Amino acid sequence: MRPWRHGWIFAAAWLFYLNENLTALWRSPDGWARDLGLAALAGFAAAYLGGVSLLRRLRLSEHDSTGAVWAGGRRITTRAWLVLLAMLALFALQIPAAGFHALPCITYIAATAAMALPIAQGGPFVVVLVVGTELLARLTTGWEDNGYGLAALLGGLASYGIRLAAERQRRLAATQEELAELAVQNERNRIARDLHDILGHSLTVVTVKAELAQRLLDVDLDKARSELRDLESLARDALADVRSTALGVRGISLPGEIAAAREALAAANVDAALPGAADEVPTRVRELFAWTIREAVTNIVRHAKATRAEVRLGPDSVEILDDGVGPVHPASDGQGLPGLRRRAEQLGGTLTVGAREDRPGFRVRVEVPS
């Protein structure tokens, strides 16, 4: 983002206020003083616009994120001082013909200093300009005090305010870029954690079953075929989980919901006992069990005020237990427990919700026929 890209256009508009200098010089008697003053006024306007262009490069390089900013910043600050000294000299050359009408130049010099110089240098310089302008207007015979010192002070303050606004806008843009990069990195880390949770145990089981099937080929062919069928089912389930995680649709991934439950309960300071894998769960009920874990854990985190939770997972059932008070406001809009009950009934299963029998607490259990 380049907040100073068109700054020279804004600066050029303010050259209108040099009209007083031009009028005074144009009406002064012919001679070297008049000609010198007009040339100095043109040079002053060019130096002012050049200083604005220099200022833009200063602001862009001063806040570079490469680390090599201070050397470049010092070089441009030195050039800014040269521009300011040139503007002062060109202002002085107008005085013989324009007199006190040349004082509006001080406002431009103060504005340029407030924007181009480091604050520790620009602040004192503007103060010196203001005091010097007031003394010059009051002590020089025939000069009028028309508030040029106050104008220089206000011009410096206004320019400094514009500078602060531009720098804050730049910092805001940089912060937004950092947040976007952080969000991307967090999503990558989330996918990496989920893939680890999904594939870690599944690949281990696949390896063990493959070795077992290989040993059974010469001993029990039927058992070997059974192990190979389980091996194929495990591989397909793991592939489906990986695809759903990579696409960000974690709601249908049972291992992904187990991983999400672990993070959510830890964030809520709930001690959790969770299954390490979901390989025993048939494909046809994985989505139902995933929704069950999601709904139960959501209720625990939001409403239960529990300190401990446990997820018991089997081939034909999933049960979530906690020591809390259960859901305070059960959902009635087709989601939550009512929606979960319909999902279970579609597979011929049952949903049991209520108080625990063994100790104080709450339980959610879904069971489907084998």
Side-chain angles (χ1 to χ4, degrees):
M1 185 174 184
R2 295 175 177 265
W4 301 93
R5 185 175 180 178
H6 303 294
W8 67 272
I9 299 177
F10 178 78
W14 290 99
L15 291 177
F16 170 81
Y17 291 99
L18 289 177
N19 177 63
E20 181 179 349
N21 305 49
L22 179 62
T23 301
L25 290 170
W26 193 261
R27 292 177 178 177
S28 63
D30 293 338
W32 65 268
R34 177 178 179 271
D35 296 338
L36 180 62
L38 289 172
L41 179 60
F44 182 88
Y48 173 66
L49 294 179
V52 171
S53 176
L54 179 68
L55 161 65
R56 182 176 68 87
R57 285 184 286 141
L58 169 64
R59 297 277 72 81
L60 295 177
S61 64
E62 183 182 29
H63 299 289
D64 195 353
S65 59
T66 61
V69 296
W70 294 110
R74 282 194 295 268
R75 285 196 298 270
I76 299 177
T77 299
T78 300
R79 295 173 187 174
W81 272 111
L82 294 177
V83 170
L84 290 171
L85 292 176
M87 293 174 71
L88 281 171
L90 292 169
F91 154 70
L93 293 176
Q94 300 174 50
I95 293 178
F100 70 90
H101 294 291
L103 289 177
C105 291
I106 298 298
T107 302
Y108 293 84
I109 298 173
T112 303
M115 299 185 75
L117 294 176
I119 302 304
Q121 301 177 28
F125 181 72
V126 170
V127 171
V128 170
L129 282 178
V130 172
V131 174
T133 300
E134 288 296 320
L135 291 176
L136 191 63
R138 295 174 184 274
L139 300 180
T140 302
T141 303
W143 282 28
E144 298 179 7
D145 181 14
N146 290 333
Y148 293 109
L150 178 60
L153 176 62
L154 295 178
L157 291 176
S159 299
Y160 181 64
I162 295 174
R163 171 177 175 173
L164 285 181
E167 291 181 355
R168 288 175 181 173
Q169 184 180 13
R170 177 198 57 79
R171 287 196 295 268
L172 177 60
T175 301
Q176 290 174 339
E177 292 180 2
E178 292 177 0
L179 290 176
E181 294 176 359
L182 181 61
V184 172
Q185 186 61 41
N186 288 339
E187 181 63 12
R188 289 174 178 171
N189 293 337
R190 194 274 300 172
I191 293 176
R193 289 194 303 268
D194 287 355
L195 290 178
H196 178 272
D197 292 338
I198 292 170
L199 292 180
H201 187 80
S202 297
L203 292 180
T204 301
V205 175
V206 167
T207 302
V208 172
K209 283 187 172 290
E211 293 174 351
L212 177 59
Q214 186 177 7
R215 290 196 298 268
L216 289 173
L217 284 175
D218 298 328
V219 179
D220 189 341
L221 193 57
D222 291 336
K223 182 65 174 176
R225 289 194 182 98
S226 177
E227 292 295 333
L228 288 174
R229 284 194 295 269
D230 292 343
L231 180 61
E232 180 185 5
S233 178
L234 283 172
R236 291 182 184 277
D237 290 340
L239 179 59
D241 290 335
V242 169
R243 286 174 176 170
S244 65
T245 301
L247 293 175
V249 288
R250 294 172 53 180
I252 61 172
S253 170
L254 181 56
E257 287 306 316
I258 294 175
R262 181 178 294 108
E263 294 181 4
L265 293 172
N269 294 320
V270 177
D271 185 21
L274 301 172
D279 301 321
E280 298 180 353
V281 181
T283 302
R284 70 183 185 91
V285 297
R286 279 177 165 245
E287 182 178 352
L288 171 61
F289 287 4
W291 281 109
T292 304
I293 293 175
R294 170 179 286 192
E295 178 61 28
V297 170
T298 299
N299 285 331
I300 292 173
V301 171
R302 292 183 178 178
H303 310 301
K305 301 179 182 179
T307 60
R308 177 172 174 77
E310 179 182 1
V311 176
R312 298 175 181 175
L313 186 63
D316 55 4
S317 68
V318 59
E319 187 174 34
I320 300 91
L321 306 169
D322 65 77
D323 59 357
V325 298
V328 178
H329 302 292
S332 60
D333 57 353
Q335 304 298 324
L337 295 178
L340 188 60
R341 188 181 303 278
R342 284 195 296 271
R343 290 176 181 271
E345 292 173 351
Q346 289 173 359
L347 296 177
T350 58
L351 170 65
T352 304
V353 178
R356 298 178 60 171
E357 298 177 355
D358 54 342
R359 66 183 64 179
F362 192 79
R363 76 165 183 162
V364 176
R365 177 182 175 86
V366 169
E367 186 172 3
V368 295
S370 301

